[in-house]
Amino acid sequence: MSGLTSMKNIGKELERKLTAVGVDSPEALTELGAKHAFFKLKEVFPQVCLVHLYALEGAIQDLEFNSLPEDTKQDLKEFSDFLKR
């Protein structure tokens, strides 16, 4: 298995945080999905923000986070906003 840093948008710090919440491989992240992984991160690391969610989705789709389609970004923003309530 390759490490999470082999995925786009995932650096050492995000890999450390993901591992801390039980997401320890690209396969685990892909299976869990960006929203669920972000939710788990938010529980332990409340400072994670929308950019982290974009990074996770981009990693799963093998895209730079700023290249995500606008409708995907809007959906992720709505999810992030929902969690703030």
Side-chain angles (χ1 to χ4, degrees):
M1 267 189 281
S2 299
L4 287 161
T5 57
S6 68
M7 300 177 84
K8 282 186 171 59
N9 312 311
I10 309 289
K12 287 287 187 190
E13 185 61 17
L14 186 50
E15 179 182 53
R16 182 188 68 78
K17 289 176 178 173
L18 285 165
T19 301
V21 299
V23 182
D24 59 0
S25 69
E27 296 82 6
L29 176 56
T30 300
E31 185 176 319
L32 192 60
K35 289 179 181 178
H36 196 158
F38 182 73
F39 180 77
K40 289 177 76 148
L41 284 171
K42 200 78 165 148
E43 288 180 312
V44 178
F45 304 100
Q47 75 279 14
V48 296
C49 65
L50 179 60
V51 174
H52 291 93
L53 180 55
Y54 287 171
L56 294 170
E57 183 64 30
I60 291 168
Q61 292 191 31
D62 196 31
L63 293 171
E64 297 295 332
F65 74 90
N66 54 2
S67 296
L68 289 169
E70 286 304 316
D71 59 330
T72 300
K73 288 196 257 185
Q74 182 59 38
D75 177 58
L76 296 173
K77 182 175 182 338
E78 289 171 10
F79 178 76
S80 177
D81 290 347
F82 174 78
L83 293 181
K84 291 178 186 176
R85 295 184 203 145

